[in-house]
Amino acid sequence: MDMEARAHSEHPEALRLWLRLLTCTQLVEKQVRTRLRERFDTTLPRFDLMAQLERTPAGLKMNELSRRMMVTGGNVTGITDQLVTEGLVERIDVEGDRRACRVRLTARGRKQFQEMARQHEGWIVEAFAGLNEKEIATLHKLLGKVKEHASPARQEAEA
């Protein structure tokens, strides 16, 4: 259901804006999920994990991956196991810590991720094609103000 359909004219404009943002996010995410599945036979969580590893060529420990992706360690382990089996990521022992390992993209994984990322970028640009450059910049700036106001650091300072 379109989240925005829950709003009524008597609701505060801020609530209606929130529901519109949520609806837009869900619509774009659904398109991205569908295209990742259809074009690359992969999922958004797998793409997200590979994106984290692409940003850190030396690799990340599993707990770092979990924290960055904001998911449980079990989720990261399951996705990592799949990607290792497919030869897209590898586990590397961490010197001095027998219980830990780093995960990093293989050359094949890096190549595949680069193609997915290129396509992903195009899909996101396409999703915002209804806006001109000035509108995109304005929306980005305004959402930055919302982000700043809602940030945990700001809320802690006000408490």
Side-chain angles (χ1 to χ4, degrees):
M1 178 175 147
D2 184 329
M3 298 298 290
E4 198 173 352
R6 296 179 182 187
H8 302 289
S9 59
E10 67 271 6
H11 285 128
E13 190 72 21
L15 176 62
R16 293 186 307 154
L17 174 60
W18 161 245
L19 292 172
R20 178 161 291 174
L21 284 168
L22 189 56
T23 298
C24 290
T25 299
Q26 290 172 339
L27 289 169
V28 172
E29 185 177 309
K30 183 178 180 185
Q31 289 177 351
V32 168
R33 285 179 186 277
T34 299
R35 289 174 170 174
L36 283 170
R37 187 177 57 254
E38 290 174 351
R39 301 214 179 135
F40 297 101
D41 192 28
T42 197
T43 64
L44 188 55
R46 288 166 52 113
F47 176 85
D48 289 343
L49 187 142
M50 293 175 77
Q52 291 300 324
L53 296 177
E54 196 272 337
R55 292 181 188 107
T56 314
L60 293 167
K61 289 182 181 180
M62 297 292 275
N63 63 347
E64 292 171 313
L65 263 173
S66 176
R67 191 181 72 252
R68 287 182 181 205
M69 293 177 66
M70 295 185 282
V71 297
T72 67
N75 288 346
V76 170
T77 299
I79 296 168
T80 300
D81 289 346
Q82 294 170 4
L83 294 172
V84 166
T85 299
E86 295 171 27
L88 301 174
V89 303
E90 61 186 347
R91 287 186 171 98
I92 303 155
D93 292 334
V94 174
E95 193 174 320
D97 188 349
R98 295 183 313 167
R99 297 174 299 155
C101 69
R102 284 188 159 310
V103 180
R104 71 177 176 197
L105 289 172
T106 62
R108 181 173 162 226
R110 187 168 303 285
K111 182 178 178 184
Q112 183 172 330
F113 177 77
Q114 287 170 349
E115 177 57 23
M116 286 191 295
R118 189 182 65 73
Q119 291 279 317
H120 178 272
E121 181 179 300
W123 301 332
I124 300 305
V125 168
E126 180 184 313
F128 286 91
L131 302 175
N132 64 39
E133 285 185 33
K134 184 178 180 188
E135 290 168 329
I136 289 171
T138 300
L139 182 56
H140 187 263
K141 181 179 178 180
L142 292 172
L143 290 173
K145 290 174 77 171
V146 173
K147 179 181 176 182
E148 166 95 16
H149 183 75
S151 75
R154 184 178 195 278
Q155 291 179 5
E156 288 173 11
E158 290 176 355

